[in-house]
Amino acid sequence: MDRAPLDWKSLPFGLTPTDFNVVYRWREGQWGPKEVRTSFDLTLPMAATALHYGQAIFEGLKAFETRDGRTVLFRPRDNAERMLRGAKKLLMEAPPAELFLEACEEVTRLNRRFVPPFESGAAFYLRPFLIGSGAVLGVKPSNEYLFGVFGTPVGPYFKGDKKTIRLRVDEEVHRAAPLGVGDVKAAGNYAAGMRAVASAQADGFDNVIYLDARETRFIDETGATNFYGVLTGDGRPRYVTPKSRTILESITNKSLLVLAPELGFEVEHRPVEVSEIRRFSEAGAVGTAAVIAPVGSISWRGETTTYGSEPGPVTLRLYDELTGIQRGLVPDRHNWLHEIR
Ligand code: PLP
Ligand code: COI
């Protein structure tokens, strides 16, 4: 295989055109055959429910080249299940897990020359999405759906000269409501948060921390990741991550909740008051795109808590273990890797 002529070490988290994508259409009660495509464009009816009523959800997962030359997906079934949960909430037809897997495998296989080499540390990002594609005028679920997957090689989500990111607690915008859809990857959740993130970025921050919508008191997550803090003191370091109905169930965080105790850390998965940021010795932003982005500081009501310009020891240990498994350097003892042949 001839690899695409890219500068693998300086890839941004952005779109690089690749060779193929796939779509499937749900019509008259069933999923049609796989359509392998080269065009990046879709044709949709103007009245598609995705465009007007937000029947749109997506996923994000990565393929990695391991040290021994395999190409693997990280926990793709978990993404398939999360898409299914999201589809149920938005009254959409979801692709069965097997179809979801087939699509992700196929897009990776067909674009193998875009899967970054092991040494680069970069990854091939897959973006499965599901949209209501039928034309409907009244507010009701679509009668047709389109499930597609495209992929693109990516570098770090938070890029810059610094090794740690700056977050700001936002008290002006709630990302999601307790009985709403904040726990699934609904496209509208991201539109809802754009003004908060854009305003923080204009002020020199990398992203925001959203608080819970009921009391504006507990940490939820950032615009594109879950959040954790580390408590140290007597005994073992504690990995503290918020529990809330308005947080996306991150597959990365779910993995870290398994790895942390194996590495000798305590785990606390509970509501986290925003004032606790002052007690943390480290913090991190975790997700597929961000991996584990070490947090250097958090600003809240004009006060800045600083964790430093280098990742702390707990963050480094978690990062090495997670990425070690993903890249085949550490045994995959939980069967999280799905090999693509
Ligand atoms: N929270 C939000 C709002 C996200 O968009 C993401 C990204 O998918 C995450 C958390 C992290 O989830 P995961 O680790 O499954 O990528
Ligand atoms: C991901 O981590 O996969 C995400 O979807 C986050 C962001 C790019 C929306």
Side-chain angles (χ1 to χ4, degrees), residues 58-61 74 78-79 82 125 127 157 175 182 184-185 189-190 210 220-227 246-255 285-291:
F58 67 98
E59 275 300 327
L61 67 160
F74 186 70
D78 295 66
N79 294 91
R82 191 167 64 188
Y125 183 76
R127 176 53 70 83
Y157 191 68
R175 176 184 165 274
V184 299
K185 229 163 147 49
N189 292 337
Y190 296 82
Y210 293 109
D220 261 357
E221 58 179 341
T222 86
T225 70
N226 276 188
F227 174 87
T246 41
I247 293 182
L248 186 74
E249 190 190 76
S250 154
I251 294 160
T252 314
N253 200 12
K254 200 164 77 171
S255 308
V286 305
T288 298
V291 195

Side-chain angles (χ1 to χ4, degrees), residues 97-109:
E98 292 313 315
L99 193 149
F100 183 100
L101 273 180
E102 171 188 272
C104 292
E105 286 179 7
E106 190 71 355
V107 170
T108 311
R109 237 182 252 123

Side-chain angles (χ1 to χ4, degrees), residues 297-315:
S297 68
I298 302 177
S299 296
W300 176 46
R301 296 185 178 168
E303 174 190 320
T304 300
T305 303
T306 304
Y307 307 110
S309 53
E310 296 283 332
V314 174
T315 297

